[in-house]
Amino acid sequence: MKQLSLMLKPASSTCNMACGYCFYADEGKRRNVANYGIMTQETAAAVISSVFCDLSDGDKIVFAFQGGEPTIAGLSFYEYFISEVEKQTVKAAVSYALQTNGILADETWCEFFKRHNFLVGLSLDGYMELHNSNRTTIGGVGTFSRVMKAKKLLDKYAVDYNILAVLTNAMARHPQKVWNFIANVGVRYIQFIPCLDELGPRNFYNFYSAIFPLWKRHKSYVSVKLFEDIIDMFIYGRATACGLNGQCQPQFVVEADGGVYPCDFYALDEFKLGNLTKDSLRQTFESQVSKEFRAKRAVARICEKCRYRPSCNGGCKRQFFAICGHDKDFCGYSMLLDEILPQL
């Protein structure tokens, strides 16, 4: 039985916000085509057909939509996409996810998410001042109140969702305030994503070191993804986060034109694996670019004698500098593991 996941960008890098740290906007500028626009129905149908030709009855497939801002593709796009999936003759177990900034997430969207059992990721960077410092409209207006409105609607419609927060240096300086906000607004699932070009290993360590005892003492369980990933890796021996064990596996990132890339952080021309309007998923996986991307890499000098090397092997190569690589003698991840693993 195969278990596959596709990250689709139906609106490419199009967005109705102008976040100060948006890596995908920068990534687009480094391609020959910065923005592929809105995925057409013809492209969507071709992508679905290419995926299902490599699936068998009983396989599992997750279609995860990201951006830019994926809701800009419009509700009709998703209704069409799901109708095309339901026409496929292969009896695979299909599930859907969508990452959104929440600006367009009104009652109609939330009803749709609930009806089709979407897992929604909502981008929210903690309390108002922190969130509004980076997450603004194109006109520079903070979006905190609009995102909180979207959160209330997701709660109202009982949509399964988690919070995605970007861990910046500013956030790392205020772990207590961040945790108080999480507790006060009833966040149950949260993932902190290191800000790639800003966060350093010491701030990474300081933040999580301060959050950990607050998490342990909290009166009801809150899922903090990194802590759960560490439990899965070091207690149960399974890697539940991309790159956690230092081994890259293609995510199958599908741009609006059908182009396939091995990772959201590497959606660049030189890493293109093929195009699902003409190639099968298997062909993109078996391409030479894919093989080179998945090849084991040499670890940094700081990792050579690390006690966690057998499990970590340098971790995610794109997040390495935010967690470990800024300092030649300090790894925020290994320091955190030293502190919390005995307690876990």
Short mmCIF file of all heavy atoms in Angstrom, two decimals, residues 3 7 45 115 179 194 197 232 243 298 334:
data_model
loop_
_atom_site.label_atom_id
_atom_site.label_comp_id
_atom_site.label_asym_id
_atom_site.label_seq_id
_atom_site.Cartn_x
_atom_site.Cartn_y
_atom_site.Cartn_z
N GLN A 3 1.47 5.36 0.35
CA GLN A 3 0.94 6.54 1.01
C GLN A 3 1.66 7.75 0.42
O GLN A 3 2.86 7.91 0.62
CB GLN A 3 1.14 6.48 2.52
CG GLN A 3 0.42 5.30 3.17
CD GLN A 3 0.47 5.36 4.68
OE1 GLN A 3 0.21 6.39 5.28
NE2 GLN A 3 0.80 4.25 5.29
N MET A 7 1.68 18.47 -2.59
CA MET A 7 1.44 19.86 -2.22
C MET A 7 1.18 20.63 -3.51
O MET A 7 2.06 20.75 -4.36
CB MET A 7 2.62 20.46 -1.48
CG MET A 7 2.42 21.92 -1.09
SD MET A 7 3.92 22.68 -0.44
CE MET A 7 4.11 21.76 1.09
N ALA A 45 -7.19 18.58 -14.05
CA ALA A 45 -7.64 17.26 -14.50
C ALA A 45 -6.45 16.41 -14.92
O ALA A 45 -6.39 15.20 -14.62
CB ALA A 45 -8.62 17.41 -15.65
N ARG A 115 -17.58 20.08 5.03
CA ARG A 115 -18.29 19.10 4.20
C ARG A 115 -17.32 18.09 3.58
O ARG A 115 -17.64 16.92 3.42
CB ARG A 115 -19.08 19.83 3.12
CG ARG A 115 -19.81 18.94 2.13
CD ARG A 115 -20.93 19.71 1.44
NE ARG A 115 -20.60 21.07 1.12
CZ ARG A 115 -20.14 21.48 -0.07
NH1 ARG A 115 -19.96 20.60 -1.05
NH2 ARG A 115 -19.89 22.76 -0.29
N TRP A 179 3.00 31.93 24.70
CA TRP A 179 2.27 30.81 25.30
C TRP A 179 0.98 31.28 25.96
O TRP A 179 -0.05 30.61 25.87
CB TRP A 179 3.14 30.08 26.32
CG TRP A 179 2.45 28.84 26.79
CD1 TRP A 179 1.74 28.67 27.94
CD2 TRP A 179 2.34 27.61 26.07
NE1 TRP A 179 1.21 27.40 28.00
CE2 TRP A 179 1.56 26.73 26.85
CE3 TRP A 179 2.83 27.17 24.85
CZ2 TRP A 179 1.25 25.43 26.45
CZ3 TRP A 179 2.53 25.87 24.45
CH2 TRP A 179 1.76 25.03 25.24
N PRO A 194 10.69 27.79 11.77
CA PRO A 194 11.79 28.75 11.87
C PRO A 194 11.84 29.70 10.68
O PRO A 194 11.70 29.27 9.53
CB PRO A 194 13.04 27.84 11.88
CG PRO A 194 12.54 26.50 12.33
CD PRO A 194 11.14 26.39 11.79
N ASP A 197 15.79 32.93 7.10
CA ASP A 197 16.92 33.84 6.92
C ASP A 197 17.14 34.77 8.11
O ASP A 197 17.93 35.71 8.02
CB ASP A 197 16.71 34.67 5.65
CG ASP A 197 16.68 33.79 4.41
OD1 ASP A 197 17.45 32.82 4.36
OD2 ASP A 197 15.85 34.05 3.51
N ASP A 232 8.20 11.09 18.68
CA ASP A 232 8.10 10.07 17.64
C ASP A 232 9.48 9.55 17.23
O ASP A 232 9.67 8.34 17.05
CB ASP A 232 7.37 10.63 16.41
CG ASP A 232 5.86 10.68 16.60
OD1 ASP A 232 5.35 9.84 17.37
OD2 ASP A 232 5.21 11.53 16.00
N GLY A 243 12.57 15.84 6.72
CA GLY A 243 13.94 16.25 6.97
C GLY A 243 14.42 16.06 8.40
O GLY A 243 15.58 16.33 8.71
N ALA A 298 26.80 15.22 2.87
CA ALA A 298 27.80 15.24 3.93
C ALA A 298 27.32 16.13 5.07
O ALA A 298 26.72 17.18 4.85
CB ALA A 298 29.13 15.76 3.38
N SER A 334 20.52 20.24 19.31
CA SER A 334 21.15 19.29 20.23
C SER A 334 21.07 19.78 21.67
O SER A 334 20.86 18.98 22.60
CB SER A 334 22.61 19.02 19.84
OG SER A 334 23.40 20.18 19.99
#
